[in-house]
Amino acid sequence: MKMKKFMMMVMAAIMLLSVACTASASCQVQKPIKVYYNGLAVDFPDQQPVIINCRTMVPVRAIAEALDYDVLWIAKDNEVQLYQHLGEGFVFWKIGENTYRTNHDSIVDAGCVPIVLNGRTMVPIRFVAEQLSNLKVEFVQQKYQNVIFLNEKD
């Protein structure tokens, strides 16, 4: 009887683990990711967007410039700085930190840290689009690629 109960517990644990692994693996399937801003494709010339820990990460320079930000990399501080409208608004974001600072000295939690991948600073596209540019983000999974549409909110 003890052996039967033990076997049932082992089987239940295996089933739970397989479901958990399947759920987390579904975020990690790497298909090409295309990004469109107001109907125009955003070009990522040397590092494509990737999904890391269920978050779509994009090169900060490509997405920031598409959203009309100027980008400055401060190597000594491991910091990316985004400036909008000729320096009127700015954001400072350090590699490895999940918060960023604004020109109003606000410190905001981005929920995810920027990383360096193949020499490019990668940031979460949803956070950049929604929080910094007040855009609507639509993620569409297709058979051979994922598509992200960034549009002005209605």
Side-chain angles (χ1 to χ4, degrees):
M1 188 66 154
K2 285 184 180 182
M3 183 62 141
K4 186 175 180 181
K5 189 174 182 180
F6 174 75
M7 290 303 289
M8 288 179 65
M9 287 176 49
V10 168
M11 292 299 288
I14 290 171
M15 287 176 25
L16 284 173
L17 285 173
S18 67
V19 169
C21 290
T22 302
S24 66
S26 67
C27 296
Q28 304 303 328
V29 175
Q30 292 295 324
K31 296 187 261 186
I33 300 169
K34 302 292 181 194
V35 177
Y36 294 90
Y37 172 53
N38 286 336
L40 299 174
V42 177
D43 184 37
F44 299 99
D46 51 9
Q47 174 59 53
Q48 295 301 304
V50 295
I51 297 176
I52 300 173
N53 295 327
C54 297
R55 297 205 187 234
T56 303
M57 306 289 279
V58 295
V60 68
R61 181 169 300 279
I63 196 64
E65 289 176 351
L67 299 175
D68 203 26
Y69 281 86
D70 293 317
V71 180
L72 184 61
W73 170 249
I74 310 298
K76 70 180 179 64
D77 296 329
N78 255 356
E79 182 175 76
V80 63
Q81 298 179 357
L82 308 179
Y83 295 90
Q84 190 176 35
H85 305 296
L86 302 173
E88 287 178 20
F90 59 86
V91 173
F92 297 156
W93 212 344
K94 286 190 178 226
I95 301 300
E97 293 182 12
N98 66 340
T99 58
Y100 71 90
R101 290 181 297 118
T102 69
N103 56 329
H104 305 294
D105 286 329
S106 299
I107 297 177
V108 181
D109 185 355
C112 162
V113 298
I115 62 166
V116 176
L117 181 65
N118 298 324
R120 292 287 169 219
T121 301
M122 307 292 283
V123 296
I125 190 170
R126 181 172 297 277
F127 181 80
V128 171
E130 289 178 346
Q131 300 299 315
L132 302 185
S133 297
N134 200 30
L135 297 173
K136 180 175 68 172
V137 178
E138 182 183 1
F139 186 89
V140 178
Q141 291 184 331
Q142 297 178 343
K143 187 172 183 176
Y144 297 108
Q145 68 180 4
N146 293 315
V147 181
I148 297 175
F149 298 99
L150 307 175
N151 293 298
E152 304 297 326
K153 289 185 177 177
D154 298 329

